Amino acid sequence: MEKVLGFGGFFFRSEDPKALAEWYEKHLGILQVPTDYESPVWTQQAGPTVFAPFEKSTEYFGNKDKQVMLNLRVGDLEAMIAQLEAAGVKVKRDPDSPQPNGSFAWLNDPEGNPIELWEPLES
């Protein structure tokens, strides 16, 4: 069976795509989509990726009106939290971290989309 190799992109609707793309680049380091074919696109590091449908009634995303939650791997969760908080971004730490699979924290982008930061345990 042929299988996909990974995510090639994540596409979602936005009230202000330009401002939201700038926010993701400024606060999380995700490069904006280039306007030409010569400029580099954001490239993620290889690592674990969880693809998990949740029950429609889940409260895990925080906002029941949102259909998806981004889970982004980080190398140093505490450094990322400090960086975000210094920029005025509200971050909620997982009180149960570390868990058997790593440490977590949550935030929302300016349009309320939920983001989970995950620092996996080293193998």
Side-chain angles (χ1 to χ4, degrees), residues 21-98:
E22 289 170 357
W23 184 90
Y24 275 90
E25 183 168 19
K26 178 181 178 182
H27 295 290
L28 300 174
I30 298 173
L31 297 178
Q32 296 180 51
V33 176
T35 56
D36 58 59
Y37 290 100
E38 289 76 38
S39 299
V41 297
W42 175 62
T43 302
Q44 61 185 324
Q45 292 183 357
T49 301
V50 177
F51 187 88
F54 277 68
E55 291 289 336
K56 188 171 181 86
S57 61
T58 187
E59 294 183 13
Y60 192 72
F61 298 0
N63 181 341
K64 288 188 176 189
D65 293 332
K66 299 297 180 178
Q67 297 298 308
V68 297
M69 177 177 67
L70 290 174
N71 174 290
L72 301 172
R73 277 182 282 116
V74 299
D76 185 334
L77 183 60
E78 286 304 317
M80 178 61 81
I81 291 171
Q83 172 182 300
L84 290 164
E85 289 179 338
V89 178
K90 184 180 175 186
V91 180
K92 179 183 174 192
R93 286 175 168 81
D94 179 1
D96 298 323
S97 283

